Amino acid sequence: PPLTVFCYSVVDTKNRTCVSVCLDAFNVTTTFNASTKHPLKVAAKPARTIGAVKVTGACSSTSPGGTYNESQISLSWGTFNLTFYFSSNIKKIPNRSVNANINQWYLSFVLFTNGTDTFRNETAKSATIGATIGKSYKCDETLSLHMVNATNVTHLDTIATVYLTNYTVQAFASPEKPFNFGATLNCATTATLPAYIPIIVGCALAGLVLLVLVAYVIGRCFKRKQEDYETLS
């Protein structure tokens, strides 16, 4: 039967999981002559069968204690290869309201090769995928990673887009079994509000304060007039 979910992992020689990925679907679309009116789009989509995708990867470390600070997972099918690179640090991930002193992992960049060209996507600046160490990142939506030609200067008009659908990722996991994901950070909780939302909320609060102030002034005036009327009576 066809696979309903793609799940891949990278385990080191000590059976420690450094990357686990599960997703409903993924594919890469290469666009040729992207700047023209009639670009040619070619999709690279793996078959939903066991063994259709070859998984390789690496768990690297530069610390004496063996703590990973880089890892990668490569998915290959046919002439195509898609590699995700992960990094970790103790700095605040951009556009995230998380504690700057917590060790974090994030997707640093992605490489895709189609047998002819190599494409690269830099994600570290926006931290598209990431969480604190020990936690996984989950998103029920489709993520589009736009990539540019990285090596072939004669094919700069050729671009690629990676699509990930309903995915869960965890890097630098733990000695636990693959796909035993930690507590989930959902992409819905990390989404950035549009700039106009705080403005609307601020205006609404200001209007409410103004209404209360006007009501208070009117009430005071009415009460004073009533007291003056009672005094004259």
Side-chain angles (χ1 to χ4, degrees):
L3 297 174
T4 56
V5 179
F6 295 100
C7 285
Y8 310 107
S9 67
V10 176
V11 181
D12 68 6
T13 55
K14 296 182 180 180
N15 201 34
R16 297 183 299 181
T17 304
C18 57
V19 182
S20 287
V21 179
C22 282
L23 62 171
D24 283 359
F26 72 96
N27 64 82
V28 184
T29 298
T30 305
T31 304
F32 300 90
N33 302 320
S35 62
T36 65
K37 293 183 179 180
H38 303 286
L40 174 63
K41 295 186 178 182
V42 178
K45 188 176 181 180
R48 287 186 173 272
T49 55
I50 297 176
V53 177
K54 180 182 179 181
V55 183
T56 57
C59 311
S60 62
S61 172
T62 57
S63 63
T67 301
Y68 295 128
N69 56 12
E70 291 183 356
S71 61
Q72 67 187 67
I73 183 169
S74 296
L75 310 177
S76 302
W77 67 101
T79 60
F80 307 107
N81 178 273
L82 180 63
T83 304
F84 299 90
Y85 293 84
F86 299 90
S87 300
S88 68
N89 59 30
I90 57 173
K91 296 180 180 179
K92 183 177 180 180
I93 298 178
N95 301 327
R96 293 272 180 83
S97 55
V98 294
N99 193 324
N101 295 322
I102 295 179
N103 199 15
Q104 304 158 343
W105 66 265
Y106 61 93
L107 178 64
S108 53
F109 67 95
V110 182
L111 284 182
F112 171 70
T113 59
N114 60 6
T116 304
D117 298 329
T118 298
F119 302 87
R120 182 184 180 103
N121 173 273
E122 297 284 355
T123 64
K125 292 182 179 180
S126 59
T128 306
I129 296 174
T132 55
I133 297 294
K135 291 186 177 182
S136 61
Y137 183 86
K138 178 179 175 59
C139 194
D140 296 330
E141 302 173 354
T142 298
L143 173 67
S144 301
L145 297 175
H146 301 287
M147 313 178 76
V148 296
N149 202 311
T151 56
N152 199 329
V153 295
T154 63
H155 292 160
L156 291 179
D157 202 29
T158 302
I159 60 176
T161 305
V162 178
Y163 298 96
L164 308 177
T165 302
N166 194 9
Y167 54 93
T168 303
V169 183
Q170 185 167 357
F172 315 102
S174 66
E176 299 175 357
K177 296 180 180 180
F179 318 123
N180 189 8
F181 293 109
T184 300
L185 174 66
N186 197 290
C187 63
T189 63
T190 61
T192 303
L193 289 175
Y196 59 82
I197 295 297
I199 297 176
I200 294 176
V201 173
C203 292
L205 291 175
L208 181 61
V209 171
L210 182 61
L211 287 175
V212 171
L213 182 61
V214 171
Y216 173 77
V217 172
I218 293 176
R220 290 286 297 175
C221 291
F222 178 79
K223 183 178 180 180
R224 180 172 297 178
K225 289 182 178 180
Q226 187 177 20
E227 290 176 351
D228 293 342
Y229 177 78
E230 289 176 354
T231 301
L232 291 174
S233 301

